[in-house]
Amino acid sequence: MTVINMSPLDGSPSDLHSLFSWLQRTDELRGRVRILPRQPGPHEMGGAVEIVSVAVGSGGAIAVLAGALATWLQTRRARISVEFVVDETGETLRRVEVEASNAASVKELYDAVAQDRKVP
């Protein structure tokens, strides 16, 4: 299982909640989308930043997520950080910044990670 975590790079906290609502309304992602507190990095104090987390286990789900994300980004003109994490270990496989012009790269990145790591 791979978990995809998304957090806004610029914009208001309402962007995060808008993305969460948008993804929840997508039939194929319903029940897979959560809002979680983001863990602070080693040199950070912490804070109220949250992430949208989506558990995916198949290529179909990631294709749906990439399409929904691309559409949402075009309507919001936001930039987000997308992080691919192996659920069992918590290991971050890859991290990429995504905006409307490169939202389709999420699917390509997932395919590369899955092939490298044999992640379903």
Side-chain angles (χ1 to χ4, degrees):
M1 177 73 60
T2 299
V3 175
I4 300 175
N5 295 326
M6 295 162 280
S7 57
L9 291 171
D10 51 82
S12 68
S14 67
D15 284 340
L16 183 80
H17 294 281
S18 169
L19 176 59
F20 174 74
S21 295
W22 184 268
L23 295 176
Q24 273 198 316
R25 289 191 302 263
T26 304
D27 289 339
E28 294 88 344
L29 301 177
R30 195 167 293 126
R32 299 174 182 240
V33 183
R34 301 179 295 162
I35 289 185
L36 304 172
R38 185 181 69 84
Q39 296 298 320
H43 303 290
E44 296 175 328
M45 297 281 293
V49 176
E50 297 173 318
I51 60 172
V52 172
S53 183
V54 181
V56 294
S58 70
I62 193 65
V64 169
L65 174 61
L69 183 57
T71 303
W72 179 83
L73 283 166
Q74 290 169 352
T75 64
R76 300 293 289 199
R77 304 213 192 296
R79 291 184 325 123
I80 62 171
S81 171
V82 178
E83 177 182 61
F84 292 83
V85 178
V86 176
D87 193 31
E88 295 81 23
T89 66
E91 175 189 4
T92 298
L93 299 176
R94 304 258 174 101
R95 182 177 292 134
V96 65
E97 292 181 13
V98 182
E99 54 190 86
S101 63
N102 71 339
S105 66
V106 174
K107 170 76 168 83
E108 294 166 13
L109 183 58
Y110 176 80
D111 288 344
V113 167
Q115 185 173 13
D116 290 347
R117 297 294 308 245
K118 305 295 185 255
V119 177

